[in-house]
Amino acid sequence: MADHRTGGTWDVIVTPWHLDEHIPDFPIPAAATQVDFPVLLSGTVPARMSLLHRAALDAVAQAARPLVLSGDCPTSRAVVAGLRRRHRDLAVLWLDAHGDFNDPVISTSATSAAWRWPC
């Protein structure tokens, strides 16, 4: 993916999962690197997510100009950790469509009791 400001390209990295569940139909651009979904043994969801985040962290740390497409927000902790390996002065631009596009039918985090459409 080209960066038109500098003429460079982004290293597109895809993490096709939500929490600890693989999303097999996650759209992956042709030139993207897909982070392998590791074998997850039984355990708590946070422990399983940590394995996924380590895989994402390694991919981000190796990329010159990472642009991560992810199926969940918690993967951002891996992205920031991977970037911090090389960049101590780090800024984050957060683009999150959660409030606009998730509903109780498609999201485990939007329960019908707590769900409210954005104003």
Side-chain angles (χ1 to χ4, degrees):
M1 179 178 288
D3 175 1
H4 299 289
R5 292 179 304 128
T6 64
T9 58
W10 293 99
D11 300 315
V12 180
I13 299 168
V14 177
T15 59
W17 56 74
H18 179 261
L19 303 179
D20 66 337
E21 296 178 12
H22 185 242
I23 305 171
D25 295 331
F26 196 95
I28 300 172
T33 298
Q34 179 177 338
V35 176
D36 290 330
F37 191 82
V39 175
L40 299 177
L41 303 175
S42 63
T44 66
V45 171
R48 293 164 55 90
M49 288 172 60
S50 288
L51 291 173
L52 294 169
H53 293 167
R54 280 189 216 116
L57 184 154
D58 291 340
V60 169
Q62 294 174 20
R65 300 186 69 211
L67 173 64
V68 179
L69 307 177
S70 178
D72 66 13
C73 297
T75 300
S76 62
R77 91 178 180 157
V79 173
V80 170
L83 291 171
R84 292 272 301 160
R85 287 187 176 176
R86 289 192 321 255
H87 307 285
R88 293 292 176 199
D89 185 20
L90 180 66
V92 175
L93 171 62
W94 188 272
L95 303 174
D96 185 354
H98 181 78
D100 297 331
F101 297 109
N102 282 359
D103 65 31
V105 174
I106 64 169
S107 176
T108 59
S109 62
T111 62
S112 58
W115 179 254
R116 301 290 182 267
W117 285 102
C119 298

